[in-house]
Structure formats: C-alpha cells, structure tokens
Amino acid sequence: QLQLVESGGGLVQVGGSKRLSCVASGRTIDNYDMGWFRQAPGQEREFVAAISSSGGSSRYGDSARGRFTISRDNTKNTVDLEMKNLKPEDTAVYYCAADRYYFASYNPDFEFWGPGTQVTVSS
C-alpha cells in the first residue's frame, strides 16, 4: 500500500503564497502519476494539478493554471504544490493522490489518497 500525507496547509492572506507538500511511504512513487485535488465545503472535489511519473508532463485545472505549480522529487518520494496569488475561492481541503495510469486516461479516480490539509485564504 502507498500512504500519502500532506503538509503545509494553514491560513494565508489574499494574494499570498503557500507551498503544500506530500510525502509518500510504503512504496516509491516512481511509477505513479501524482495529483492534487481540493474540496471546499458543500462542493464537489475539484482537480487541481497532476504530474506524470517521470515529471515530464503536467496538467492543471482551470482554477490553478497560471498560479499553481506542481513538482515532484522521486528521490525523496515527495510531490509539492506551489500556490501563488491565492484567492478566497482557493479555500479548501487539499488532497494529494497517486495513480499508475492517470496520464493514460485522465481518469480522476486516483488509486491512493492522503487525508488532506486545510488551506484557508483570508481577505
């Protein structure tokens, strides 16, 4: 089993930046596409970003494109999400996820999920 744990959440002001990190354990993530999702209260889970197993490809949701950057370090078994110019609507629980075949199908039903970290953007 692959366990994922997110960190870096917290309170940030509008226009600020925050970096989320996800550490994997139990397996190496070399063969996994990695993604970030978020869910705000009363809303459906939303795709934020994904990066291929090699790091050679990345994909972003509309709300993240141009402001967020996903990266990974397979030697450290980590994947990060750098968020800039944060807005109140970015407030959500952010989840790290792993899947072997995301970039083959763009199916958002990832295989493994972390428990999430809360990000709150205050105005």
Side-chain angles (χ1 to χ4, degrees), residues 2 8 20 48 51 60-61 96 107 114 117:
L2 182 64
L20 304 182
V48 175
I51 188 167
Y60 294 89
C96 174
N107 185 335
T117 186

Side-chain angles (χ1 to χ4, degrees), residues 52-87:
S52 63
S53 57
S54 67
S57 297
S58 59
R59 188 167 183 254
Y60 294 89
D62 290 342
S63 62
R65 195 172 295 113
R67 297 187 299 128
F68 295 2
T69 303
I70 189 170
S71 60
R72 66 189 294 159
D73 186 338
N74 287 350
T75 66
K76 297 181 180 179
N77 239 27
T78 59
V79 58
D80 291 349
L81 183 70
E82 181 73 34
M83 305 185 292
K84 297 182 178 180
N85 190 23
L86 285 162
K87 306 173 182 179

Side-chain angles (χ1 to χ4, degrees), residues 99-120:
D99 192 85
R100 289 184 179 88
Y101 307 115
Y102 173 73
F103 275 87
S105 66
Y106 296 151
N107 185 335
D109 293 331
F110 277 52
E111 187 175 2
F112 298 102
W113 294 83
T117 186
Q118 175 72 46
V119 173
T120 302

